[in-house]
Amino acid sequence: MSMWPTLSERIRLGSPVALVTVVDGPGIGGHLLVHPDDDSVVVLGSLGDPDLDRVVARDAIAELEAGRSGVRTYGPRGQTTPEDLIDEPTLTVFVESWAPPPQMWIFGAVDFTAALARVAKILGYRVLVADAREVFATTRRFPMADEVRVSWPGDVFTARGHELGPRDAVCILTHDPKFDIPAVRGALATSVGYIGVMGSRTTHDRRLERLAEVGIDDPADLDRLLSPIGLDLGGRTPEETAISICAEIIATRTGRSARQLRTAEGPIH
Amino acid sequence: MRELLDDLDRWRAAGTRVAIARVVATDGSGPRGPGAAMAVSNDGEVIGSVSGGCVEGAVVGEALAVLNGERDAGMVTFGYSDDEAFAVGLTCGGTIRLFIEEFNW
């Protein structure tokens, strides 16, 4: 079955799709078309081995979720670890993704913001930093951000909230009820996949009281708030905190436990 | 690829044979990233670009060679820093790797 009708239609509609092409090694010129479909993955074509197809499709979906295109190398049955590739011919595939990059919106131009924006860029996010305070929200302080806005959270969500979806993240770092209550309210009105809110457990409890005062008390809504933000890595610096937040974002997206792999069972991927 | 869709559909409907060249990797500075694409029909019509004009002429020759059966689908590298580099380089000094194949998928 030809891939072109599906590929061209999805590109035209702006629906995520990845085309995998074997560009070097055994099976050169082979193609696999991969796209998400609700909670499952649709795979068209084959690279000649079911295990290879499975591993490559999995990686193509990950590239697609990150909005990345690039080359990857495998053994003929999908092997990826160096020990498994000894004495095996390797094949190089090009994964071409059609997807807008995921977005991270960071509210609050604080100490942690620059480090979080840097790590988010490494992960392929389009990063927006917003703060109502003109002296702090500057491109000079956040040159790594794709966009820096002097704006109240509510205004950003009113204008652009419809852009956010399950691949995107909102990180609210302000600690200040003036900003974080409207930011939480705005984020909850979108279908964004991750809402992290910074602050201690005490701050979190007070925030819940303030949210209740403005009518935000639906348990399903409050359950979406990841607060205190991040995984329990024990780090303290802005950079360590950024890693902890981004690790939580990844685990939220994949639905994994974020445990150490050696304490878990079953396949790693 | 997005900007090539209409022409590829037209060629496909007409049964025209076409080769596609896509950037799969860049090293150093390069004008177009992975996914930049051009297509060449067997009667010499060319659409798209892969480098902003530096290597397109050479790519047309390789694409026609694929369609004529003079070479197989495969990688082509342009730049000055690689053993397999062609004589044609990028003015920016970077290297780009392209995959050229017949459009039959």
Side-chain angles (χ1 to χ4, degrees), chain A residues 95-113:
Chain A
V95 180
E96 184 167 7
S97 295
W98 287 272
Q103 299 198 59
M104 181 188 288
W105 291 5
I106 307 174
F107 291 92
V110 299
D111 286 353
F112 294 95
T113 307

mmCIF file with all atom_site columns, all heavy atoms in Angstrom, chain A residues 95-113:
data_model
loop_
_atom_site.group_PDB
_atom_site.id
_atom_site.type_symbol
_atom_site.label_atom_id
_atom_site.label_alt_id
_atom_site.label_comp_id
_atom_site.label_asym_id
_atom_site.label_entity_id
_atom_site.label_seq_id
_atom_site.pdbx_PDB_ins_code
_atom_site.Cartn_x
_atom_site.Cartn_y
_atom_site.Cartn_z
_atom_site.occupancy
_atom_site.B_iso_or_equiv
_atom_site.pdbx_formal_charge
_atom_site.auth_seq_id
_atom_site.auth_comp_id
_atom_site.auth_asym_id
_atom_site.auth_atom_id
_atom_site.pdbx_PDB_model_num
ATOM 1   N N   . VAL A 1 95  ? 14.687 9.926  10.169 1.00 0.00 ? 95  VAL A N   1
ATOM 2   C CA  . VAL A 1 95  ? 13.313 10.131 10.636 1.00 0.00 ? 95  VAL A CA  1
ATOM 3   C C   . VAL A 1 95  ? 12.951 11.578 10.346 1.00 0.00 ? 95  VAL A C   1
ATOM 4   O O   . VAL A 1 95  ? 13.554 12.497 10.902 1.00 0.00 ? 95  VAL A O   1
ATOM 5   C CB  . VAL A 1 95  ? 13.182 9.860  12.153 1.00 0.00 ? 95  VAL A CB  1
ATOM 6   C CG1 . VAL A 1 95  ? 11.737 10.095 12.601 1.00 0.00 ? 95  VAL A CG1 1
ATOM 7   C CG2 . VAL A 1 95  ? 13.625 8.454  12.493 1.00 0.00 ? 95  VAL A CG2 1
ATOM 8   N N   . GLU A 1 96  ? 12.001 11.758 9.451  1.00 0.00 ? 96  GLU A N   1
ATOM 9   C CA  . GLU A 1 96  ? 11.562 13.114 9.139  1.00 0.00 ? 96  GLU A CA  1
ATOM 10  C C   . GLU A 1 96  ? 10.203 13.337 9.786  1.00 0.00 ? 96  GLU A C   1
ATOM 11  O O   . GLU A 1 96  ? 9.244  12.614 9.523  1.00 0.00 ? 96  GLU A O   1
ATOM 12  C CB  . GLU A 1 96  ? 11.484 13.332 7.631  1.00 0.00 ? 96  GLU A CB  1
ATOM 13  C CG  . GLU A 1 96  ? 11.111 14.776 7.291  1.00 0.00 ? 96  GLU A CG  1
ATOM 14  C CD  . GLU A 1 96  ? 11.320 15.127 5.828  1.00 0.00 ? 96  GLU A CD  1
ATOM 15  O OE1 . GLU A 1 96  ? 11.635 14.236 5.029  1.00 0.00 ? 96  GLU A OE1 1
ATOM 16  O OE2 . GLU A 1 96  ? 11.146 16.317 5.494  1.00 0.00 ? 96  GLU A OE2 1
ATOM 17  N N   . SER A 1 97  ? 10.138 14.344 10.668 1.00 0.00 ? 97  SER A N   1
ATOM 18  C CA  . SER A 1 97  ? 8.926  14.619 11.436 1.00 0.00 ? 97  SER A CA  1
ATOM 19  C C   . SER A 1 97  ? 8.216  15.842 10.898 1.00 0.00 ? 97  SER A C   1
ATOM 20  O O   . SER A 1 97  ? 8.854  16.837 10.580 1.00 0.00 ? 97  SER A O   1
ATOM 21  C CB  . SER A 1 97  ? 9.282  14.888 12.905 1.00 0.00 ? 97  SER A CB  1
ATOM 22  O OG  . SER A 1 97  ? 9.828  13.752 13.500 1.00 0.00 ? 97  SER A OG  1
ATOM 23  N N   . TRP A 1 98  ? 6.915  15.723 10.813 1.00 0.00 ? 98  TRP A N   1
ATOM 24  C CA  . TRP A 1 98  ? 6.103  16.906 10.533 1.00 0.00 ? 98  TRP A CA  1
ATOM 25  C C   . TRP A 1 98  ? 5.234  17.149 11.752 1.00 0.00 ? 98  TRP A C   1
ATOM 26  O O   . TRP A 1 98  ? 4.231  16.457 11.967 1.00 0.00 ? 98  TRP A O   1
ATOM 27  C CB  . TRP A 1 98  ? 5.242  16.700 9.298  1.00 0.00 ? 98  TRP A CB  1
ATOM 28  C CG  . TRP A 1 98  ? 6.031  16.743 8.034  1.00 0.00 ? 98  TRP A CG  1
ATOM 29  C CD1 . TRP A 1 98  ? 6.324  17.857 7.300  1.00 0.00 ? 98  TRP A CD1 1
ATOM 30  C CD2 . TRP A 1 98  ? 6.652  15.651 7.357  1.00 0.00 ? 98  TRP A CD2 1
ATOM 31  N NE1 . TRP A 1 98  ? 7.090  17.513 6.202  1.00 0.00 ? 98  TRP A NE1 1
ATOM 32  C CE2 . TRP A 1 98  ? 7.299  16.170 6.215  1.00 0.00 ? 98  TRP A CE2 1
ATOM 33  C CE3 . TRP A 1 98  ? 6.732  14.276 7.600  1.00 0.00 ? 98  TRP A CE3 1
ATOM 34  C CZ2 . TRP A 1 98  ? 8.009  15.366 5.319  1.00 0.00 ? 98  TRP A CZ2 1
ATOM 35  C CZ3 . TRP A 1 98  ? 7.442  13.485 6.727  1.00 0.00 ? 98  TRP A CZ3 1
ATOM 36  C CH2 . TRP A 1 98  ? 8.066  14.032 5.604  1.00 0.00 ? 98  TRP A CH2 1
ATOM 37  N N   . ALA A 1 99  ? 5.626  18.083 12.578 1.00 0.00 ? 99  ALA A N   1
ATOM 38  C CA  . ALA A 1 99  ? 4.872  18.427 13.778 1.00 0.00 ? 99  ALA A CA  1
ATOM 39  C C   . ALA A 1 99  ? 5.374  19.779 14.246 1.00 0.00 ? 99  ALA A C   1
ATOM 40  O O   . ALA A 1 99  ? 6.565  20.056 14.175 1.00 0.00 ? 99  ALA A O   1
ATOM 41  C CB  . ALA A 1 99  ? 5.088  17.397 14.880 1.00 0.00 ? 99  ALA A CB  1
ATOM 42  N N   . PRO A 1 100 ? 4.476  20.615 14.711 1.00 0.00 ? 100 PRO A N   1
ATOM 43  C CA  . PRO A 1 100 ? 4.967  21.845 15.316 1.00 0.00 ? 100 PRO A CA  1
ATOM 44  C C   . PRO A 1 100 ? 5.724  21.476 16.582 1.00 0.00 ? 100 PRO A C   1
ATOM 45  O O   . PRO A 1 100 ? 5.342  20.513 17.255 1.00 0.00 ? 100 PRO A O   1
ATOM 46  C CB  . PRO A 1 100 ? 3.692  22.631 15.637 1.00 0.00 ? 100 PRO A CB  1
ATOM 47  C CG  . PRO A 1 100 ? 2.596  21.625 15.657 1.00 0.00 ? 100 PRO A CG  1
ATOM 48  C CD  . PRO A 1 100 ? 3.015  20.487 14.779 1.00 0.00 ? 100 PRO A CD  1
ATOM 49  N N   . PRO A 1 101 ? 6.819  22.185 16.936 1.00 0.00 ? 101 PRO A N   1
ATOM 50  C CA  . PRO A 1 101 ? 7.508  21.847 18.183 1.00 0.00 ? 101 PRO A CA  1
ATOM 51  C C   . PRO A 1 101 ? 6.573  22.069 19.365 1.00 0.00 ? 101 PRO A C   1
ATOM 52  O O   . PRO A 1 101 ? 5.718  22.953 19.314 1.00 0.00 ? 101 PRO A O   1
ATOM 53  C CB  . PRO A 1 101 ? 8.693  22.816 18.236 1.00 0.00 ? 101 PRO A CB  1
ATOM 54  C CG  . PRO A 1 101 ? 8.359  23.919 17.298 1.00 0.00 ? 101 PRO A CG  1
ATOM 55  C CD  . PRO A 1 101 ? 7.431  23.354 16.274 1.00 0.00 ? 101 PRO A CD  1
ATOM 56  N N   . PRO A 1 102 ? 6.727  21.265 20.426 1.00 0.00 ? 102 PRO A N   1
ATOM 57  C CA  . PRO A 1 102 ? 5.902  21.513 21.615 1.00 0.00 ? 102 PRO A CA  1
ATOM 58  C C   . PRO A 1 102 ? 6.280  22.857 22.224 1.00 0.00 ? 102 PRO A C   1
ATOM 59  O O   . PRO A 1 102 ? 7.380  23.358 22.017 1.00 0.00 ? 102 PRO A O   1
ATOM 60  C CB  . PRO A 1 102 ? 6.269  20.359 22.541 1.00 0.00 ? 102 PRO A CB  1
ATOM 61  C CG  . PRO A 1 102 ? 7.624  19.926 22.102 1.00 0.00 ? 102 PRO A CG  1
ATOM 62  C CD  . PRO A 1 102 ? 7.700  20.186 20.632 1.00 0.00 ? 102 PRO A CD  1
ATOM 63  N N   . GLN A 1 103 ? 5.359  23.423 22.956 1.00 0.00 ? 103 GLN A N   1
ATOM 64  C CA  . GLN A 1 103 ? 5.616  24.720 23.575 1.00 0.00 ? 103 GLN A CA  1
ATOM 65  C C   . GLN A 1 103 ? 5.774  24.574 25.077 1.00 0.00 ? 103 GLN A C   1
ATOM 66  O O   . GLN A 1 103 ? 5.105  23.755 25.696 1.00 0.00 ? 103 GLN A O   1
ATOM 67  C CB  . GLN A 1 103 ? 4.437  25.671 23.338 1.00 0.00 ? 103 GLN A CB  1
ATOM 68  C CG  . GLN A 1 103 ? 4.163  25.967 21.887 1.00 0.00 ? 103 GLN A CG  1
ATOM 69  C CD  . GLN A 1 103 ? 3.304  27.223 21.752 1.00 0.00 ? 103 GLN A CD  1
ATOM 70  O OE1 . GLN A 1 103 ? 3.682  28.303 22.200 1.00 0.00 ? 103 GLN A OE1 1
ATOM 71  N NE2 . GLN A 1 103 ? 2.140  27.077 21.149 1.00 0.00 ? 103 GLN A NE2 1
ATOM 72  N N   . MET A 1 104 ? 6.669  25.397 25.633 1.00 0.00 ? 104 MET A N   1
ATOM 73  C CA  . MET A 1 104 ? 6.700  25.569 27.083 1.00 0.00 ? 104 MET A CA  1
ATOM 74  C C   . MET A 1 104 ? 6.485  27.048 27.376 1.00 0.00 ? 104 MET A C   1
ATOM 75  O O   . MET A 1 104 ? 7.217  27.886 26.875 1.00 0.00 ? 104 MET A O   1
ATOM 76  C CB  . MET A 1 104 ? 8.017  25.113 27.706 1.00 0.00 ? 104 MET A CB  1
ATOM 77  C CG  . MET A 1 104 ? 8.008  25.272 29.242 1.00 0.00 ? 104 MET A CG  1
ATOM 78  S SD  . MET A 1 104 ? 9.580  24.965 30.028 1.00 0.00 ? 104 MET A SD  1
ATOM 79  C CE  . MET A 1 104 ? 9.706  23.190 29.854 1.00 0.00 ? 104 MET A CE  1
ATOM 80  N N   . TRP A 1 105 ? 5.470  27.306 28.167 1.00 0.00 ? 105 TRP A N   1
ATOM 81  C CA  . TRP A 1 105 ? 5.230  28.682 28.618 1.00 0.00 ? 105 TRP A CA  1
ATOM 82  C C   . TRP A 1 105 ? 5.676  28.774 30.066 1.00 0.00 ? 105 TRP A C   1
ATOM 83  O O   . TRP A 1 105 ? 5.207  28.010 30.923 1.00 0.00 ? 105 TRP A O   1
ATOM 84  C CB  . TRP A 1 105 ? 3.747  29.035 28.533 1.00 0.00 ? 105 TRP A CB  1
ATOM 85  C CG  . TRP A 1 105 ? 3.212  29.141 27.139 1.00 0.00 ? 105 TRP A CG  1
ATOM 86  C CD1 . TRP A 1 105 ? 3.857  28.871 25.971 1.00 0.00 ? 105 TRP A CD1 1
ATOM 87  C CD2 . TRP A 1 105 ? 1.885  29.551 26.768 1.00 0.00 ? 105 TRP A CD2 1
ATOM 88  N NE1 . TRP A 1 105 ? 3.024  29.078 24.899 1.00 0.00 ? 105 TRP A NE1 1
ATOM 89  C CE2 . TRP A 1 105 ? 1.805  29.495 25.359 1.00 0.00 ? 105 TRP A CE2 1
ATOM 90  C CE3 . TRP A 1 105 ? 0.758  29.949 27.491 1.00 0.00 ? 105 TRP A CE3 1
ATOM 91  C CZ2 . TRP A 1 105 ? 0.636  29.829 24.663 1.00 0.00 ? 105 TRP A CZ2 1
ATOM 92  C CZ3 . TRP A 1 105 ? -0.400 30.280 26.795 1.00 0.00 ? 105 TRP A CZ3 1
ATOM 93  C CH2 . TRP A 1 105 ? -0.453 30.232 25.397 1.00 0.00 ? 105 TRP A CH2 1
ATOM 94  N N   . ILE A 1 106 ? 6.589  29.701 30.329 1.00 0.00 ? 106 ILE A N   1
ATOM 95  C CA  . ILE A 1 106 ? 7.091  29.887 31.690 1.00 0.00 ? 106 ILE A CA  1
ATOM 96  C C   . ILE A 1 106 ? 6.583  31.227 32.208 1.00 0.00 ? 106 ILE A C   1
ATOM 97  O O   . ILE A 1 106 ? 6.847  32.273 31.600 1.00 0.00 ? 106 ILE A O   1
ATOM 98  C CB  . ILE A 1 106 ? 8.630  29.860 31.735 1.00 0.00 ? 106 ILE A CB  1
ATOM 99  C CG1 . ILE A 1 106 ? 9.171  28.597 31.049 1.00 0.00 ? 106 ILE A CG1 1
ATOM 100 C CG2 . ILE A 1 106 ? 9.131  29.945 33.179 1.00 0.00 ? 106 ILE A CG2 1
ATOM 101 C CD1 . ILE A 1 106 ? 10.697 28.570 30.919 1.00 0.00 ? 106 ILE A CD1 1
ATOM 102 N N   . PHE A 1 107 ? 5.843  31.178 33.322 1.00 0.00 ? 107 PHE A N   1
ATOM 103 C CA  . PHE A 1 107 ? 5.351  32.416 33.921 1.00 0.00 ? 107 PHE A CA  1
ATOM 104 C C   . PHE A 1 107 ? 6.226  32.771 35.110 1.00 0.00 ? 107 PHE A C   1
ATOM 105 O O   . PHE A 1 107 ? 6.413  31.960 36.011 1.00 0.00 ? 107 PHE A O   1
ATOM 106 C CB  . PHE A 1 107 ? 3.880  32.269 34.327 1.00 0.00 ? 107 PHE A CB  1
ATOM 107 C CG  . PHE A 1 107 ? 2.992  32.170 33.124 1.00 0.00 ? 107 PHE A CG  1
ATOM 108 C CD1 . PHE A 1 107 ? 2.666  30.930 32.595 1.00 0.00 ? 107 PHE A CD1 1
ATOM 109 C CD2 . PHE A 1 107 ? 2.563  33.320 32.482 1.00 0.00 ? 107 PHE A CD2 1
ATOM 110 C CE1 . PHE A 1 107 ? 1.891  30.846 31.458 1.00 0.00 ? 107 PHE A CE1 1
ATOM 111 C CE2 . PHE A 1 107 ? 1.793  33.231 31.339 1.00 0.00 ? 107 PHE A CE2 1
ATOM 112 C CZ  . PHE A 1 107 ? 1.447  31.999 30.821 1.00 0.00 ? 107 PHE A CZ  1
ATOM 113 N N   . GLY A 1 108 ? 6.771  33.978 35.052 1.00 0.00 ? 108 GLY A N   1
ATOM 114 C CA  . GLY A 1 108 ? 7.663  34.432 36.107 1.00 0.00 ? 108 GLY A CA  1
ATOM 115 C C   . GLY A 1 108 ? 9.092  34.513 35.607 1.00 0.00 ? 108 GLY A C   1
ATOM 116 O O   . GLY A 1 108 ? 9.688  33.507 35.235 1.00 0.00 ? 108 GLY A O   1
ATOM 117 N N   . ALA A 1 109 ? 9.626  35.732 35.568 1.00 0.00 ? 109 ALA A N   1
ATOM 118 C CA  . ALA A 1 109 ? 11.017 35.918 35.152 1.00 0.00 ? 109 ALA A CA  1
ATOM 119 C C   . ALA A 1 109 ? 11.875 35.911 36.416 1.00 0.00 ? 109 ALA A C   1
ATOM 120 O O   . ALA A 1 109 ? 12.280 36.949 36.916 1.00 0.00 ? 109 ALA A O   1
ATOM 121 C CB  . ALA A 1 109 ? 11.152 37.236 34.385 1.00 0.00 ? 109 ALA A CB  1
ATOM 122 N N   . VAL A 1 110 ? 12.113 34.704 36.948 1.00 0.00 ? 110 VAL A N   1
ATOM 123 C CA  . VAL A 1 110 ? 12.837 34.568 38.213 1.00 0.00 ? 110 VAL A CA  1
ATOM 124 C C   . VAL A 1 110 ? 14.152 33.818 37.978 1.00 0.00 ? 110 VAL A C   1
ATOM 125 O O   . VAL A 1 110 ? 14.491 33.490 36.842 1.00 0.00 ? 110 VAL A O   1
ATOM 126 C CB  . VAL A 1 110 ? 11.966 33.835 39.263 1.00 0.00 ? 110 VAL A CB  1
ATOM 127 C CG1 . VAL A 1 110 ? 10.700 34.628 39.549 1.00 0.00 ? 110 VAL A CG1 1
ATOM 128 C CG2 . VAL A 1 110 ? 11.599 32.434 38.785 1.00 0.00 ? 110 VAL A CG2 1
ATOM 129 N N   . ASP A 1 111 ? 14.871 33.558 39.077 1.00 0.00 ? 111 ASP A N   1
ATOM 130 C CA  . ASP A 1 111 ? 16.178 32.884 38.986 1.00 0.00 ? 111 ASP A CA  1
ATOM 131 C C   . ASP A 1 111 ? 16.107 31.568 38.217 1.00 0.00 ? 111 ASP A C   1
ATOM 132 O O   . ASP A 1 111 ? 17.033 31.208 37.510 1.00 0.00 ? 111 ASP A O   1
ATOM 133 C CB  . ASP A 1 111 ? 16.686 32.539 40.391 1.00 0.00 ? 111 ASP A CB  1
ATOM 134 C CG  . ASP A 1 111 ? 17.167 33.761 41.122 1.00 0.00 ? 111 ASP A CG  1
ATOM 135 O OD1 . ASP A 1 111 ? 17.217 34.832 40.488 1.00 0.00 ? 111 ASP A OD1 1
ATOM 136 O OD2 . ASP A 1 111 ? 17.483 33.635 42.321 1.00 0.00 ? 111 ASP A OD2 1
ATOM 137 N N   . PHE A 1 112 ? 15.021 30.835 38.420 1.00 0.00 ? 112 PHE A N   1
ATOM 138 C CA  . PHE A 1 112 ? 14.927 29.498 37.840 1.00 0.00 ? 112 PHE A CA  1
ATOM 139 C C   . PHE A 1 112 ? 14.560 29.533 36.356 1.00 0.00 ? 112 PHE A C   1
ATOM 140 O O   . PHE A 1 112 ? 14.723 28.546 35.653 1.00 0.00 ? 112 PHE A O   1
ATOM 141 C CB  . PHE A 1 112 ? 13.869 28.682 38.598 1.00 0.00 ? 112 PHE A CB  1
ATOM 142 C CG  . PHE A 1 112 ? 14.252 28.394 40.011 1.00 0.00 ? 112 PHE A CG  1
ATOM 143 C CD1 . PHE A 1 112 ? 13.827 29.204 41.042 1.00 0.00 ? 112 PHE A CD1 1
ATOM 144 C CD2 . PHE A 1 112 ? 15.073 27.313 40.306 1.00 0.00 ? 112 PHE A CD2 1
ATOM 145 C CE1 . PHE A 1 112 ? 14.198 28.947 42.352 1.00 0.00 ? 112 PHE A CE1 1
ATOM 146 C CE2 . PHE A 1 112 ? 15.443 27.035 41.608 1.00 0.00 ? 112 PHE A CE2 1
ATOM 147 C CZ  . PHE A 1 112 ? 15.011 27.859 42.640 1.00 0.00 ? 112 PHE A CZ  1
ATOM 148 N N   . THR A 1 113 ? 14.064 30.670 35.910 1.00 0.00 ? 113 THR A N   1
ATOM 149 C CA  . THR A 1 113 ? 13.489 30.740 34.572 1.00 0.00 ? 113 THR A CA  1
ATOM 150 C C   . THR A 1 113 ? 14.527 30.490 33.469 1.00 0.00 ? 113 THR A C   1
ATOM 151 O O   . THR A 1 113 ? 14.276 29.731 32.525 1.00 0.00 ? 113 THR A O   1
ATOM 152 C CB  . THR A 1 113 ? 12.808 32.105 34.356 1.00 0.00 ? 113 THR A CB  1
ATOM 153 O OG1 . THR A 1 113 ? 11.895 32.323 35.429 1.00 0.00 ? 113 THR A OG1 1
ATOM 154 C CG2 . THR A 1 113 ? 12.067 32.145 33.035 1.00 0.00 ? 113 THR A CG2 1
#
